[in-house]
Amino acid sequence: MPLLRLRVTGSEDDARAIGNLLVSLDGIEHVEEVADLMPRMDDSDSSSAGLPDDRGPGTHEIEIDAPNRASAEKVREAVEALAFDLDVLVEFESEEER
């Protein structure tokens, strides 16, 4: 069963829209936003605190269990189309059982 991981760079609303799309797809039963395990360097005493680069869109990690490769490809195509419409960046990573 393929496990897809998505990293969405966009707002909470954008991530929610992609999550809603994913749960609406036939055959997809497990969609979960997972915590980002990478620590961020958000030090309030930093000389770069408050600069515009610190105020960019957030990142959201989403995991999807697809029943097969064909469903995983449908997920990818649907998410790519919605990401284009929302003007957000989506990165894909997949793991397949062998």
Side-chain angles (χ1 to χ4, degrees):
M1 179 180 319
L3 173 67
L4 296 167
R5 289 189 182 97
L6 308 178
R7 180 175 297 118
V8 178
T9 303
S11 69
E12 289 285 332
D13 291 338
D14 295 331
R16 189 175 306 112
I18 290 173
N20 289 342
L21 169 70
L22 292 168
V23 297
S24 73
L25 296 174
D26 288 337
I28 304 301
E29 295 180 5
H30 178 78
V31 176
E32 179 180 3
E33 186 166 358
V34 294
D36 187 3
L37 300 177
M38 181 72 172
R40 300 290 176 215
M41 305 304 282
D42 294 337
D43 184 0
S44 61
D45 293 334
S46 172
S47 62
S48 62
L51 292 178
D53 285 349
D54 293 343
R55 296 189 182 146
T59 59
H60 310 273
E61 308 280 335
I62 302 172
E63 284 187 354
I64 305 105
D65 285 326
N68 53 49
R69 288 184 188 175
S71 294
E73 188 59 33
K74 288 179 185 178
V75 165
R76 182 182 295 270
E77 291 170 1
V79 170
E80 285 177 349
L82 182 57
F84 181 81
D85 290 344
L86 295 174
D87 196 25
V88 299
L89 176 69
V90 176
E91 299 173 76
F92 294 90
E93 178 183 329
S94 64
E95 292 181 8
E96 296 183 25
E97 292 182 4
R98 298 185 195 273

